[in-house]
Amino acid sequence: MLNKDAISQLSQLKSSIVADKTYAEGIVRPTAKRFGFVRLDDGRDAFLNPDQMLRVLPGDRVKISLTENNKKQLEATLESLLETPLTTFVGRYVRKGPAHFVEPDLPPFNRWLFIPPQERTNCAEGDLVACQLVRHPFKHEGKAQIRVINRIGRPDEIGIEGRYIAAKFNLPSEWSESALEQSQSINIDHLDDNKRADLTDLPLVTIDSEFTRDMDDAVYAVRDGDGWTLTTAIADPSAFITYDSALDQTARTRGSTLYLLGHPITMLPTELSHDTFSLIAGEVRPAIVCNIRIDSDGKITDYGFQQALIKSHHKLNYQAVSDLLDEREGGDDSYAALPSDVRDSLKALHECASARLNYRREHALVMEDRADYQYWLNDQKKIERIEKRHRNTAQKLVEEAMLATNICAGRLFKENPSTGLYSGHVGFRPERLEDAKQLAGELLPELAAQDLAQLPHFQALFKHLRANAPQNPELNALLSLLQRLQQAGSLSAEHQSHFGLGFDAYATVTSPIRRYQDLFNHFALKAILTGTDVPVAPSELAEQQQQILVRGRQASRQLEHWLLCQYLAEHVGTVHFGTITGVSPNGINVRLNDIGCDGFVQLSEKGKPRPKFDSRRLQLTTETKVYTLDETIAVKISAVDVDTRRISLELVDAAVAERLQVFEQ
């Protein structure tokens, strides 16, 4: 038996060992193999060996002690589990003998998780399921346990992809009883219109896709001296939905309407968004109207918001309006018979939009035009064909009208602090600002010497680049690189500039049927107009809506990519021209120009010299070529793995590709 002195010495030794350890915190990052890493809060990665990795799950926040292993790697030893975000997830039901598991959809994590007998359901091998974690492996010898909470369906069921992605991202599928009750109680005929101007005679029109039913904006313009008066009428759900009511809370939770391929999820019940609130031609609707005075140079010189009753006099579609304005032959003959006041308004809208675009080129920033892709689904909800579309005259016209309206809303909120939610963009990511300055300084020292964290200097740099990059390959490469160093856009309850657009203040109000930040901004606008209390725009609301928007974009991209993989599996071997969108040490990501999806070209091969990767300039140099961002190259689809959603590409000589029969839609 140890005496007191020996026990005391052991205690001191243990305390000394603990004191000598280096501790850190971080997030668990799995790999496709058995080991993983912990991404430390300071940005470093610490190796997590297979035995340690069995005790944690992807995304776990852990406390670790740090050592250096025999490979001179920073190695982690788990000390405690601080937090686990993995409460629910989706995956594939699998069996191995009598044991039941789920293979979770958490790439690159590929460990099966056990379902104990009491948690099993009547699922079959291969079923897609939603699961809940019931026992974390950290304190249970690495043995996690889960339960199946919902069977989503078989992989071959019609529309399974949309249902699966909705479950994966916890997208809502049902309405609460209180929201439905409030929705059913709304009657357009019971609108209190005493404080609304009657603008039903104003020949407003909606211009949208011919398939659109949730129409939330109508436009009109007239020549006014040497400029124009632009009128935008925005659907007003807040005429019936009060802040913090059941429908408002539901809309706040959903965040926006998601146009998932074959699986749309609306922010408001469809009877409201497609009928009661929609600016249907010939129907009287409540609206928030913005009257904007624009001079001949395209500058906004005055504006005003008001509550009104309006009526869309016609529903027009983009293509037909473009044909009319561009005087293109073969257009819709019925548009030639539109009333003269509507035709005059369309002409004024076109002129006004052109002036605004020129003004933004001179005094703000204009995003480069990018093609859109229309994916047409068949009865099986699979992609049948793909149509590449470039923005036409009518789409640009409506875009300028909506941008102008949102600029005015941003200005109004800036004049009335702590009211609405701003859509902001702060330029370069703070941690990459110095890199941006150094890279720009190599070619444009005078512009790079300015404070690029300030809007005017940021704007001057990008205006110069966009004006000169098309004629200068070096500037074009710099522009591509600097665009990757920018922060993503964000919402803010405090005034924030939008560097990406070059606006001092910008707040979206033009899609209140489809986007919660716009609906909330309607509450703020009306409170300012009526002099009543403004619903406080807390930072928590901005953060919540930002997270919801990001989640929705991720869901939409993953569903789209999944369906594209299925589609392209039938087109392996076809040749395409594509644009390099990403560069890594092992290869390049390429977006196929005719389809709009991304694939990967592996350039690192065993037995050959490893390509040289320049992480600062995002360039990859092989023995024969330097690959840079936004470069156009020819590729062939070599393989498609639908299960892992991977599209593999091979390089093709561009001259040869020109002679081949390039993929036809």
Side-chain angles (χ1 to χ4, degrees):
M1 182 177 294
L2 295 174
N3 60 31
K4 291 183 179 180
D5 289 340
I7 293 174
S8 177
Q9 289 173 1
L10 286 173
S11 178
Q12 290 175 8
L13 178 61
K14 181 178 178 181
S15 298
S16 177
I17 291 172
V18 171
D20 289 341
K21 283 186 177 181
T22 300
Y23 294 96
E25 295 180 6
I27 304 297
V28 173
R29 296 163 60 92
T31 68
K33 299 181 179 180
R34 295 177 59 218
F35 61 84
F37 293 90
V38 176
R39 172 59 58 87
L40 305 182
D41 292 345
D42 61 10
R44 294 180 297 168
D45 284 324
F47 178 76
L48 207 58
N49 68 43
D51 289 338
Q52 295 282 296
M53 191 63 203
L54 282 174
R55 300 176 58 201
V56 289
L57 297 170
D60 281 353
R61 183 168 183 81
V62 292
K63 180 180 179 181
I64 59 172
S65 57
L66 294 171
T67 55
E68 189 176 275
N69 61 24
N70 54 13
K71 294 182 180 180
K72 301 299 182 182
Q73 287 179 309
L74 196 63
E75 185 160 348
T77 299
L78 297 169
E79 297 288 338
S80 60
L81 174 67
L82 302 177
E83 183 182 2
T84 182
L86 190 65
T87 54
T88 60
F89 55 93
V90 296
R92 184 173 64 94
Y93 201 96
V94 291
R95 293 184 181 183
K96 187 174 182 180
H100 294 227
F101 302 87
V102 165
E103 181 182 19
D105 186 356
L106 300 166
F109 183 76
N110 58 9
R111 194 165 84 230
W112 294 0
L113 300 179
F114 179 67
I115 310 172
Q118 69 273 18
E119 302 293 356
R120 293 173 187 171
T121 59
N122 294 322
C123 291
E125 174 81 17
D127 279 354
L128 301 179
V129 294
C131 308
Q132 181 180 35
L133 181 69
V134 295
R135 191 175 81 178
H136 196 283
F138 190 83
K139 293 183 178 179
H140 296 89
E141 300 179 348
K143 297 177 181 178
Q145 290 187 2
I146 64 170
R147 69 165 60 101
V148 174
I149 56 177
N150 182 35
R151 177 186 177 275
I152 302 170
R154 297 288 303 169
D156 56 357
E157 290 179 10
I158 295 176
I160 186 65
E161 299 88 353
R163 300 200 305 275
Y164 181 81
I165 290 296
K168 179 176 180 178
F169 287 90
N170 290 316
L171 302 179
S173 58
E174 298 180 352
W175 303 95
S176 68
E177 290 186 12
S178 56
L180 287 176
E181 183 178 346
Q182 183 180 356
S183 175
Q184 292 163 4
S185 70
I186 292 175
N187 188 328
I188 198 77
D189 296 328
H190 296 165
L191 175 67
D192 180 7
D193 57 5
N194 291 331
K195 297 181 180 179
R196 293 179 179 269
D198 187 346
L199 301 181
T200 53
D201 289 335
L202 195 68
L204 291 153
V205 296
T206 59
I207 308 175
D208 218 314
S209 162
E210 56 186 308
F211 304 109
T212 301
R213 296 183 61 191
D214 49 351
M215 295 168 289
D216 47 20
D217 59 82
V219 291
Y220 171 76
V222 63
R223 265 286 184 179
D224 186 358
D226 62 349
W228 303 267
T229 294
L230 168 66
T231 300
T232 58
I234 311 301
D236 186 13
S238 65
F240 299 97
I241 301 174
T242 57
Y243 180 72
D244 224 20
S245 64
L247 275 174
D248 175 65
Q249 291 176 8
T250 298
R252 195 184 312 166
T253 301
R254 293 185 171 221
S256 68
T257 291
L258 294 178
Y259 297 101
L260 301 180
L261 279 176
H263 193 87
I265 300 174
T266 58
M267 184 182 79
L268 295 170
T270 54
E271 61 268 23
L272 298 181
S273 58
H274 289 181
D275 188 358
T276 308
F277 299 150
S278 182
L279 302 186
I280 298 170
E283 299 293 336
V284 176
R285 292 289 185 263
I288 296 290
V289 172
C290 185
N291 295 295
I292 310 170
R293 178 73 177 91
I294 298 172
D295 68 18
S296 58
D297 293 328
K299 180 181 180 180
I300 296 174
T301 59
D302 196 13
Y303 71 91
F305 287 93
Q306 65 181 140
Q307 299 182 72
L309 292 177
I310 65 99
K311 180 171 66 175
S312 170
H313 288 230
H314 297 273
K315 179 187 177 182
L316 308 179
N317 72 72
Y318 287 128
Q319 189 57 56
V321 171
S322 293
D323 290 343
L324 178 67
L325 294 174
D326 297 339
E327 299 180 345
R328 189 180 294 115
E329 294 183 3
D332 189 331
D333 292 338
S334 66
Y335 279 55
L338 287 170
S340 59
D341 53 0
V342 172
R343 292 173 60 86
D344 290 344
S345 172
L346 291 174
K347 181 180 178 181
L349 283 164
H350 188 200
E351 294 171 347
C352 179
S354 298
R356 279 294 301 158
L357 180 58
N358 290 333
Y359 182 86
R360 290 198 301 117
R361 286 197 179 104
E362 180 66 25
H363 300 282
L365 289 173
V366 176
M367 300 283 192
E368 63 177 310
D369 258 346
R370 292 189 177 180
D372 291 323
Y373 298 87
Q374 177 71 49
Y375 301 112
W376 298 93
L377 304 186
N378 58 22
D379 293 340
Q380 303 298 308
K381 294 196 174 182
K382 309 290 187 184
I383 294 176
E384 185 173 78
R385 63 185 176 92
I386 301 170
E387 184 179 340
K388 184 178 181 180
R389 293 179 170 181
H390 295 279
R391 290 191 316 131
N392 58 33
T393 298
Q395 289 170 314
K396 294 176 182 178
L397 178 159
V398 173
E399 179 183 61
E400 291 299 334
M402 298 305 105
L403 284 170
T405 305
N406 293 333
I407 289 170
C408 295
R411 291 180 181 179
L412 183 64
F413 292 151
K414 186 179 178 182
E415 295 167 3
N416 297 268
S418 300
T419 50
L421 293 175
Y422 296 89
S423 294
H425 178 261
V426 297
F428 294 114
R429 301 197 298 272
E431 72 275 12
R432 300 306 301 271
L433 181 58
E434 286 304 315
D435 288 338
K437 287 182 178 180
Q438 291 176 16
L439 290 164
E442 295 173 5
L443 296 176
L444 304 169
E446 292 184 4
L447 291 172
Q450 305 300 318
D451 184 359
L452 298 181
Q454 299 298 318
L455 176 59
H457 303 310
F458 178 93
Q459 183 176 315
L461 172 63
F462 276 90
K463 190 183 298 180
H464 179 88
L465 285 171
R466 287 178 181 163
N468 296 282
Q471 299 81 33
N472 187 316
E474 287 187 314
L475 290 181
N476 191 56
L478 177 62
L479 174 60
S480 298
L481 183 54
L482 293 182
Q483 287 178 154
R484 267 71 171 189
L485 302 183
Q486 293 182 37
Q487 188 96 303
S490 60
L491 297 177
S492 174
E494 302 299 327
H495 169 248
Q496 188 180 82
S497 298
H498 198 300
F499 282 47
L501 294 172
F503 299 152
D504 173 60
Y506 188 72
T508 58
V509 296
T510 52
S511 294
I513 294 176
R514 298 183 267 187
R515 198 163 49 203
Y516 184 75
Q517 67 200 65
D518 297 48
L519 176 58
F520 179 86
N521 282 341
H522 273 224
F523 295 136
L525 270 174
K526 292 170 75 172
I528 294 171
L529 293 177
T530 59
T532 55
D533 291 338
V534 177
V536 177
S539 58
E540 292 82 3
L541 176 60
E543 292 171 4
Q544 176 208 39
Q545 292 304 305
Q546 185 65 35
Q547 291 172 2
I548 292 172
L549 289 173
V550 170
R551 183 181 67 189
R553 292 190 195 108
Q554 290 175 339
S556 183
R557 282 196 295 266
Q558 288 197 21
L559 176 57
E560 185 178 289
H561 188 69
W562 187 357
L563 292 173
L564 280 167
C565 284
Q566 295 174 353
Y567 176 76
L568 291 179
E570 303 297 322
H571 297 92
V572 172
T574 56
V575 175
H576 308 253
F577 285 95
T579 302
I580 297 177
T581 58
V583 181
S584 69
N586 294 319
I588 52 177
N589 286 91
V590 179
R591 176 160 297 159
L592 306 182
N593 293 340
D594 53 351
I595 295 175
C597 68
D598 290 329
F600 186 73
V601 179
Q602 180 79 28
L603 294 175
S604 176
E605 300 180 39
K606 288 183 179 180
K608 292 187 178 181
R610 190 174 180 83
K612 182 181 178 182
F613 177 57
D614 186 338
S615 60
R616 186 164 170 265
R617 289 181 172 80
L618 292 181
Q619 293 180 337
L620 193 65
T621 304
T622 66
E623 293 178 293
T624 58
K625 182 174 172 54
V626 178
Y627 295 92
T628 60
L629 292 169
D630 291 338
E631 177 185 355
T632 298
I633 61 174
V635 294
K636 179 178 72 174
I637 298 176
S638 58
V640 178
D641 188 328
V642 177
D643 290 336
T644 60
R645 328 277 200 265
R646 291 179 182 173
I647 301 171
S648 298
L649 307 174
E650 293 178 2
L651 295 173
V652 176
D653 183 82
V656 174
E658 291 283 2
R659 296 196 298 269
L660 291 175
Q661 182 179 4
V662 179
F663 179 70
E664 294 179 357
Q665 300 301 326

